Every structure is written in C-alpha cells, then in structure tokens.
Amino acid sequence: MRLLLFAAAAISFNSVASSEHAWDEADKAMRVACLKASGLKDAQVVGGIIHYDDNVGYSALMIAGRYPQAFMKNKPGKELCLYQRTSKKAVVQEGFVE
C-alpha cells in the first residue's frame, strides 16, 4: 500500500512540475508575441502578466517604450497587449502617452 501511495505522489509531483514548466513556456511565448506586436521603439515588458479565466481566454501585459514617429518626438508611451492563449495571437492598443 505504501508503495502505491509513493508512486501516486511521484506521478502527481511530475504532473505539477510539467504544468509549471508549460505555464512558464506559455508566458515566455506571450512576452515574445507582445513585444513583436508592439510598435514602440526599445519596447520592454512592464509589470506582470494578468491571466484571465479560461472562459475569457486572454492574458494581458503592459509594454513600455518610445514612440518612433517623428511627430511624437520620441515620447515615452505604453501599450496594452492582449494575448489570446488558444490562437497565440497578440494585439496591442496604444494610447498611454506619458
């Protein structure tokens, strides 16, 4: 009986560890996609990822950088990135000019 409990605990631990690894990889993919979708110069991730419920299917991330357009005169700004987890697509909305 003890052997059975030990085996179940080991399997449980491995599934949790791989799940954490999967989340880490998904978060990394989100950061890459959001930075790629950003139109800001020297874009970088600001703050942590906000994961919405699976019913929503999106995660959000703030991106900061500088506006590259000449008329913006290199002003700093922020964009909100929404990442759809199922399609792995990122869209950004600008409008946070500092």
Side-chain angles (χ1 to χ4, degrees):
M1 183 67 171
R2 286 185 186 174
L3 183 60
L4 184 60
L5 288 173
F6 178 75
I11 290 169
S12 230
F13 176 76
N14 285 337
S15 67
V16 169
S18 66
S19 178
E20 288 177 27
H21 178 72
W23 272 105
D24 290 344
E25 290 298 313
D27 287 353
K28 183 178 176 182
M30 178 189 177
R31 286 184 190 94
V32 168
C34 285
L35 290 170
K36 185 176 179 182
S38 173
L40 296 174
K41 185 170 59 171
D42 301 324
Q44 55 187 323
V45 173
V46 178
I49 297 171
I50 300 168
H51 293 291
Y52 289 93
D53 187 81
D54 284 342
N55 292 329
V56 176
Y58 282 91
S59 295
L61 185 64
M62 189 67 73
I63 305 293
R66 298 199 167 268
Y67 288 98
Q69 301 89 342
F71 68 90
M72 291 298 287
K73 300 180 183 171
N74 206 35
K75 286 185 182 178
K78 293 181 181 173
E79 298 174 329
L80 179 64
C81 177
L82 292 180
Y83 181 76
Q84 189 175 35
R85 293 188 300 265
T86 55
S87 68
K88 297 180 173 60
K89 291 185 181 179
V91 294
V92 294
Q93 179 62 49
E94 56 189 351
F96 300 97
V97 179
E98 295 179 3

